[in-house]
Amino acid sequence: MALLTVENLRTTFRTDDGPVCAVDGVSLSVAAGQVLGIVGESGCGKSAMSLSIMGLLPTSATVEGSIQLGEHQLVGMPKNELRTLRGSEVAMIFQDPMASLNPVMTIGWQLEEAVRLHQKVSRREARTLAVAGLAAVGIPSPEDRLKTYPHELSGGMRQRVMIAMALLNRPRLLIADEPTTALDVTTQAQILALMRDLRSEVDAAIVLITHDLGVVAEVCDEVAVMYAGRIVERAPVDELFARPQHPYTWGLLASLPGRNRAGERLHQIAGSPPSLMNPPVGCRFAPRCAMAMDVCRADPAPVLAAVAGSDTVVACHLDAATRAREGARFASDEESA
Ligand code: SF4
């Protein structure tokens, strides 16, 4: 059963130049113990969606639709109730740990405060939980680390501390927004391995936001591909890699480094995403799609529809045979690797 169910989410920012609809009618769900990847280029709305779920948007934003977390409806929930939920039932990991860690307080103080904010425990018990939390994310000599300040740790260690902090109160939902983007390749692999372990150990639902399908292949069960504020394809991760259906997904797969010969420049999707203030009529990917037809540039935009014989849904006007034939050129064994 789904722990998080998002239905018809619309997030709009008021700006001096007019409203910008960053998330436009997104629906998705994720169950406990499941990792859902949300993938897409910068500005596709994936971070706006995660901030909508966390209730961390600026006051210039309005959120419509439904975000149901267990028994809680988050849309319209008073700010103080949302604050209580954050850190206890839902936690977030950001790309930049320094954005969440206080540079002038020790790691130990910050972890203990995070525990005591949500659990009625003594300082000594909070310290025990903090040490266990650091050990669980593979930090050596966790007791000694409690005395250190964030700047004394490497980027990878800081990211581990932030993951430990996010998990301290056993949240039911963990949102990780580009958690490995700023890290070197080796540390990135370690953090992804850690997230894979957490998936089975902590029975939380995890939403992993990334621009990188390689990261999705490492840890996700399901993936939603976002483009210009909308989901254009959603599939179990093995199906997405074996039978990708949407031309935008094909472009993302083609740009995976492993698919290129040594020295060859990585494939890039031509053009750039549209302005969300004035998005194109019809399919928003049409200006960049090599297969666009007249129908693609007219209303109504294609809506998500089931692909026969699979658990995939896709929003594209191409017929099934063309999608299967063209998609086969981009299929990858990445996920099973
Ligand atoms: Fe390309 Fe048309 Fe499909 Fe959009 S609907 S992805 S433009 S073929």
Side-chain angles (χ1 to χ4, degrees), residues 246-248 283 285-286 289 291-293 296 302 315-318:
H246 196 279
Y248 179 58
C283 174
F285 189 57
C289 181
M291 312 208 63
M293 307 165 282
C296 305
C316 176
H317 287 309
L318 288 175

Side-chain angles (χ1 to χ4, degrees), residues 225 227 230-234 243-250 282-286 288-298 300-308 312-327:
V225 179
Y227 186 78
R230 295 175 176 163
I231 291 179
V232 295
E233 180 165 2
R234 203 176 62 225
R243 288 179 294 283
Q245 299 288 324
H246 196 279
Y248 179 58
T249 311
W250 301 342
C283 174
R284 292 180 173 180
F285 189 57
R288 303 172 77 186
C289 181
M291 312 208 63
M293 307 165 282
D294 288 346
V295 65
C296 305
R297 301 185 188 91
V303 293
L304 288 170
V307 174
T312 297
V313 289
V314 66
C316 176
H317 287 309
L318 288 175
D319 62 83
T322 306
R323 277 191 276 106
R325 187 188 64 240
E326 293 297 316

